[in-house]
Amino acid sequence: GREEGAKRRNRSVPQTEERRERKRGRGEREEGKKMSALWQPYIDEYLVRSGNVGKGAIIGTDGVIWAKGSDFDLSFEEANSISRLFPNPRNRPTSLNMAGSTTWIILRMEEDVIYVRKGQEGACIAKGGTCIIIGHYHAEESAPGACNVTVESLREYLMDCGY
């Protein structure tokens, strides 16, 4: 009797641990969704709705994607490489990978802002305190300067809020 009870208890421990692991994984996914839900309005309502930005994303200075437009093809690897451009302003590459393309030419790189272009498309990438805002435009739909102003003003606002 006692041995069978002990065996049953020991068998249930791994199942409980397995359940905890599944819950923990589900919690991390839900946390990621919450994180995206907090930042998505800045993409949809501020950047894209302005008419000056066609697509956008906000990533952490650690390269983690906080939020992005559903039509913005930005991978974790690309976000990570963009985030690494800022700590070392002396490291000035001439191009970068973004949105599934390897041919984005860096037009100008300042301490906290990078301007890139590929054909009729371009982007403004502005670093705040803890995040990086990426605004993408197509020259037929909006002016590069308007995109830059929109992205940089969002960066200033988020920096004033501690981000």
Side-chain angles (χ1 to χ4, degrees):
R2 281 188 170 167
E3 287 179 23
E4 285 180 31
K7 284 181 184 178
R8 269 188 260 135
R9 279 191 301 266
N10 288 340
R11 246 191 328 219
S12 68
V13 171
Q15 291 172 354
T16 303
E17 286 300 316
E18 186 177 309
R19 270 191 233 123
R20 283 188 195 137
E21 283 300 314
R22 278 186 282 178
K23 284 182 181 177
R24 193 174 299 129
R26 190 173 36 228
E28 289 171 2
R29 285 191 302 275
E30 288 170 4
E31 188 63 32
K33 288 179 185 176
K34 287 179 190 174
M35 176 76 148
S36 180
L38 291 172
W39 294 101
Q40 198 63 44
Y42 289 106
I43 303 297
D44 301 334
E45 302 297 322
Y46 190 85
L47 293 178
V48 176
R49 187 172 278 178
S50 72
N52 300 326
V53 177
K55 304 174 190 178
I58 299 176
I59 64 175
T61 53
D62 58 357
V64 173
I65 298 171
W66 291 6
K68 66 178 183 168
S70 60
D71 58 345
F72 195 16
D73 183 24
L74 182 70
S75 71
F76 171 76
E77 292 78 17
E78 292 167 337
N80 198 22
S81 70
I82 290 169
S83 71
R84 289 193 313 260
L85 292 172
F86 287 103
N88 186 2
R90 291 189 182 108
N91 177 22
R92 296 190 184 264
T94 57
S95 64
L96 63 88
N97 296 338
M98 184 175 72
S101 173
T102 59
T103 57
W104 288 86
I105 305 301
I106 296 176
L107 300 175
R108 192 168 82 217
M109 190 168 182
E110 298 174 2
E111 186 176 334
D112 291 333
V113 184
I114 301 171
Y115 306 96
V116 299
R117 187 146 178 129
K118 179 188 76 155
Q120 292 293 311
E121 299 174 75
C124 176
I125 305 167
K127 179 187 169 294
T130 60
C131 65
I132 299 169
I133 298 103
I134 304 169
H136 172 276
Y137 67 89
H138 196 282
E140 293 176 4
E141 298 168 8
S142 67
C147 175
N148 298 346
V149 168
T150 303
V151 170
E152 292 176 46
S153 66
L154 178 57
R155 178 204 47 189
E156 292 299 319
Y157 171 76
L158 292 176
M159 285 179 68
D160 289 345
C161 293
Y163 296 100

